[in-house]
Amino acid sequence: PLSPPPPLAQNPTQNPKTLAIFAKFQLTPLRIMLGFPSMELQLTPLRSLPLHYRTTTKATATATANTVSACSVESQALKPRPQLPRQAPFHSRRRSSPVHFPSLCAAIERLVAEGRHREACDALRDARAGAPFVALPASTYDALVTAASALREAGSAAGVLWHMESSGFQPDQYMWNRVLGMYLVCGMLAEAREVFDGMPTRSRVTWGVMMGGLVDAKRPRGALALFRELWEELGVGAGPRVVVVAVRAATVLGSVHAGRELHCCVAKMGMCEDQYLPCALIDMYSKCGRIDEARRVFDGIPWRSVVAWNTMLAVYSLHGRSEEALDLYHHMCESGAGLDQFTFSTMLRIFSRLGLLEHAKQIHAGLIQSGLQMDIVGNTALVDLYCKWGQMEDARHVFERMPSRNLISWNALIAGYGYHGMGSKAIEMFERLLAEGIAPNHVTFLGVLNACRFSGFIDKGKRIFQLMTQNPKTKPRAMHYACVIELFGRQGLLDEAYSVIRKSPVTPTANMWGALLTAGRMNKNIQLARLAAEQLLAMEPQKVNNYIVLLNLYMNSGKRDEALTVVSTLKRAGLSMSAACSWITVKKKDHRFFFNDSLNPKSSEIYQRLDTLMEVIKELGYVIEEDELLPDILPDEQKTLKMFHSEKLAVAFGLISTSPSAPLTINQSHRLCHDCHNVIKFVTQVTKREITVRDASRFHHFKLGTCSCGDYW
């Protein structure tokens, strides 16, 4: 026989605070156990409680239905509903033996430790059903708070607090802070404020938790208002950690005025020597665009930790001040401050922007020697850096050794293979990504379509583009259509290329018309190329390259009068080409060359070696191309001056300044011209050197008289 329930007046569920919380949440048809499983108190709030709070069974439904029917007959003279068949008692159907609480509590704590938060909250249901008013140990409640916070569900959070209050558990200061943090994480700001206001005592940690939750919920003004209350109550006793949270609130708010007031508070409190407060101020000034003030805070730190150095490096990196970041990094190394993973990650991005490949390699070597494990951001930056500088084997090696990868890591490697003309490897990595169950995004598809474009894989490119169109989340954009246009143009399918523009659901962009222009130029279709060029000039009338392409298009087709007209138009518009520049790094030093350059100390040797090379490659069949014209050079001068292009000078310098078997890497600010392209192919055939040229559009890998671009760029 079941024991009778305790009197209603003694039942913990009659606690007005508990009932108010549930009614305020509008949580459901909620049923709260009175004393034993077969009897329940029926409440009628407004919203549904998650399933794991519903303990209704057929037996309890029967009891509830009978009660409602009887009430209806007495008060409204309605006919009673048909009686449902009697079921077995709830406890005899749910389990044959009572809950063993020590083992259940241990199971809950183990589930939370293993990250199985949903199962831990479900286990709380068993505790409620077996003995709803027996208090669990503090460690179990702590684990349940962790689980509810991880799930970020208001129902789970309310259920944990309900069980605490129903069982008579008395939380200490630590547990109240944990409950407060749980409410904030679950987005229950009003309820969190009630808990905060109702706490018997509030420590500085309590204030910090409440303020931090408001900042995370994008309520920085509320956090600053709380800090003002704390300041009035405790003054300088507020503590540095609470001030850090207040500074973070000012950062989110973007208020440099509030940040300066907090800076004054820090000075009054004498907390400038704290490890984290100056870093928070530096970050605040940075996010508010006050870089000089951030640097003044940094310079005022008496003892700089690695966190302070990293914070200031991140400021310079964020605002594109790469040279200042490099200078600060050298000071950091001289000061003897230890370098960590964040330092390496930041500096790799800086070296990538500045093109300092050798510095990046030194950083990578130092990282390996120190035994530090770089985070996913740093590893991805390293992969991207090696890809940008043609070190694809090193990029692949770093990628394979990454302990974890995200989609950005995959995209960096796929795009790198594509730009270097390694289409097969790019497609291989793309298929591997799909096999691992990772969903590609627009950047992934752009990288693999570029790979197909640069390598001429028209069938594979069409298949991948079709795969993209089938997914509503990755509908093609203008840049993807531009890749398909150039892919068709590479194979000479000009009608299909033009059809893509005409039938595209997106408005044609400059990239799309530029791809069609390249297709018409490479296939010597003057009408199609002229159409694309006119569209480009209408969209980008101030872009000099559009005039240059149209100019050389007329030259290629023998229409010199039209070409000179373009030159005149260019000059009347007041537009001029910026000086073409090529540079090569030899012995960790950059050597720059311009057209017809004679400033290098080895100029005489450079021109002598270039003359010798031109004589040798002419014997192998090289013929200078006369159909390309620059707008600042007359046609009669073009043939003579072509041999003085900056990339040829850089190649000649590299040949006389490095060992006979060393590969060369040339970087340039402009598109590689056809004549220079042919010359470098012959040079690799004569010297047996590998030469990589990174121009404004892609990488060209020259080896034994061939180029990775397939002579299409």
Side-chain angles (χ1 to χ4, degrees), residues 22 24 39 65 109 148 176 216 313 352 416 421 427 459 469 477 489 510 563 571 594 630 712:
F22 274 87
K24 187 171 211 176
M39 295 185 64
E109 294 174 25
W176 275 122
D216 293 336
L313 284 174
S352 178
I427 294 174
D459 293 332
T469 58
R477 301 176 182 177
K571 292 181 177 180
F594 296 90
L630 299 178
Y712 189 100

Side-chain angles (χ1 to χ4, degrees), residues 171-215:
D172 57 7
Q173 183 68 56
Y174 166 78
M175 187 57 68
W176 275 122
N177 291 341
R178 293 276 287 141
V179 170
L180 179 63
M182 173 184 68
Y183 272 0
L184 290 167
V185 167
C186 294
M188 305 157 65
L189 301 184
E191 291 70 27
R193 185 59 194 245
E194 287 186 7
V195 171
F196 177 79
D197 293 336
M199 290 173 65
T201 58
R202 291 182 292 199
S203 65
R204 289 183 296 187
V205 174
T206 308
W207 288 89
V209 170
M210 188 66 198
M211 290 169 56
L214 291 174
V215 174

Side-chain angles (χ1 to χ4, degrees), residues 604-667:
S604 59
E605 298 177 55
I606 292 172
Y607 284 103
Q608 184 178 356
R609 182 60 185 272
L610 190 56
D611 290 338
T612 304
L613 282 173
M614 297 301 289
E615 294 297 328
V616 172
I617 65 177
K618 284 179 181 178
E619 295 178 1
L620 295 177
Y622 163 74
V623 177
I624 189 169
E625 294 193 17
E626 303 180 13
D627 54 0
E628 280 190 297
L629 184 67
L630 299 178
D632 54 350
I633 301 176
L634 296 176
D636 295 337
E637 300 173 342
Q638 182 75 3
K639 182 175 180 179
T640 304
L641 296 179
K642 273 202 171 187
M643 65 178 297
F644 301 144
H645 283 187
S646 60
E647 48 264 59
K648 293 189 180 80
L649 301 179
V651 168
F653 175 81
L655 293 175
I656 66 175
S657 303
T658 59
S659 60
S661 59
L664 304 180
T665 300
I666 312 297
N667 300 281

Side-chain angles (χ1 to χ4, degrees), residues 17-32 42-55 128 153-163 183 186 188 191:
K17 186 175 181 180
T18 304
L19 297 179
I21 289 177
F22 274 87
K24 187 171 211 176
F25 279 130
Q26 304 177 356
L27 281 178
T28 57
L30 171 67
R31 293 157 177 84
I32 301 179
Q42 176 74 38
L43 299 180
T44 314
L46 304 178
R47 265 194 324 203
S48 294
L49 185 70
L51 290 175
H52 53 280
Y53 286 112
R54 303 177 190 174
T55 58
R128 290 178 53 205
E153 291 182 351
S156 299
V160 173
L161 183 60
W162 175 85
H163 199 284
Y183 272 0
C186 294
M188 305 157 65
E191 291 70 27

